[in-house]
Structure formats: C-alpha cells, structure tokens
Amino acid sequence: YALYTPARTWIEDAATHPRVATYVRNGMAAGGYTLDDTRDLLWVKTQGVTFVNIYRRSNDISALELLQNWQPTARTLLAGDFNAKHHSWQPGAETSEGAMRIVDYVTEHSLDLLTAPGVPTHNCGNTIDLTFSNIPLCSTRTAPEADCGSDHQVCITDIPIQPVEPPRRR
C-alpha cells in the first residue's frame, strides 16, 4: 500500500506527526492533497472517488474551518474522527458548535450520513467517527471483529465502483 499523509516529514513526537493517514493499494493511480499547513485533513483521489480523511480535536474547530473552504467533488467520501455529538448520529446527545458546523457543511453539500445513528464508534459509547458521502449506494458499518487495539471501532465503508471501460480500438 502507498501511504498518504498531510505531513511530509515528522519526528516521533506528538507535535509533528500527522493525525490522519490514508492508504491506497499499490498500482492504483492516486493523488494526495492537503489544505494549508495541517496535520488534521487530507484528501486522496483514486478510481474516480475523492476520499477526505479528517481528525477534529475536541473543542477545536480549525479542521472544520479548513473543510468549509473545500468544495466536494461529484464522488466524495468524507470520513474521520469528528469528536462531535449531534442527535442525528447519537440520539439524545447535546449538540455542540462543532457538530452544528458539520451538519451545516454536509447539508449544504448534499452529503448523506452513512454511519448508523446510535451505534457507538468509541469505547466510551459515543458515535464520533462519522462517514458522509454523495455516492449512491455507499454503506458504512462498524466491524468489532476487526479490532485493531484502538479505543475506536473499525468502520468499513463499501463503495460501488463502476469498472473503467478499456479504450475502444479504431
């Protein structure tokens, strides 16, 4: 797999390492991009899909401000640790300012919530790892059987990808 991160280089300390990373299978054409100088937001385009990976620190809106300056493509998948509670994805939760910004952004850009509402994605019982997309027929589920040792659940998203037609011979 090829690794994409928003940080070009980093030292083994918490102040410089990236907080998001995306892996793409070797041999698949891909390009990785970031906005400004951030460790919290990255998008990678491959197979006609733009994958946006975000980490939002609790009570910090800087990653969301960067995201709000970005226009999703026709086939976008936005996923990450949003550290935000909202009744749309966690029934009964008190809504924070960060959650309202997320809702406003996904509503404005017609991105659908793929994360199952009320299904915890964190061991404390909260639903904070979220997936949104404008690709029809996408689905996301938690996969407890794929435990990776984190305090977050592994989330698996299925994306229908149409096969690329080979060029026609003349």
Side-chain angles (χ1 to χ4, degrees), residues 122-137:
H122 189 272
N123 290 349
C124 290
N126 293 314
T127 307
I128 56 175
D129 301 300
L130 306 170
T131 306
F132 301 92
S133 184
N134 58 7
I135 304 169
L137 306 177

Side-chain angles (χ1 to χ4, degrees), residues 90-101:
Q90 186 172 330
E94 279 192 43
T95 299
S96 65
E97 176 193 354
M100 287 309 303
R101 284 178 178 252

